[in-house]
Amino acid sequence: MVPDNVKRIIREKGYKQGAIAERAGINEKTFSNMLNGRKIIADYDVVKILSALGVTPNELFGIDDRQQKSA
């Protein structure tokens, strides 16, 4: 789920995968492996990716804030 959401956010925001990897301080090949399921994304990497993408944890994990607020 997280790799797919990261790829979707990168695509929607018009970012380059390599630029996000660099901003997150993750080797480009390692980042590619994370997004393609060849390497598990560690919790500490999630924090770096959130910052590099400029999104909230809810956005990354695909949680709709509007649904939670109306519940």
Side-chain angles (χ1 to χ4, degrees):
M1 174 205 312
V2 172
D4 290 337
N5 287 341
V6 170
K7 288 190 272 190
R8 177 185 51 78
I9 293 166
I10 288 172
R11 188 174 51 252
E12 287 175 357
K13 292 191 174 210
Y15 294 147
K16 299 283 186 196
Q17 186 173 307
I20 297 302
E22 186 176 328
R23 266 194 238 164
I26 301 170
N27 175 283
E28 227 177 296
K29 185 167 177 64
T30 300
F31 190 63
S32 176
N33 285 337
M34 289 174 174
L35 298 185
N36 291 302
R38 292 184 294 268
K39 180 173 177 7
I40 293 174
I41 301 175
D43 54 352
Y44 52 85
D45 290 322
V46 170
V47 175
K48 295 177 189 178
I49 294 167
L50 283 171
S51 178
L53 289 173
V55 298
T56 66
N58 284 355
E59 289 175 280
L60 185 64
F61 288 99
I63 299 169
D64 187 352
D65 287 332
R66 292 170 297 182
Q67 288 177 343
Q68 288 185 343
K69 289 178 183 173
S70 65

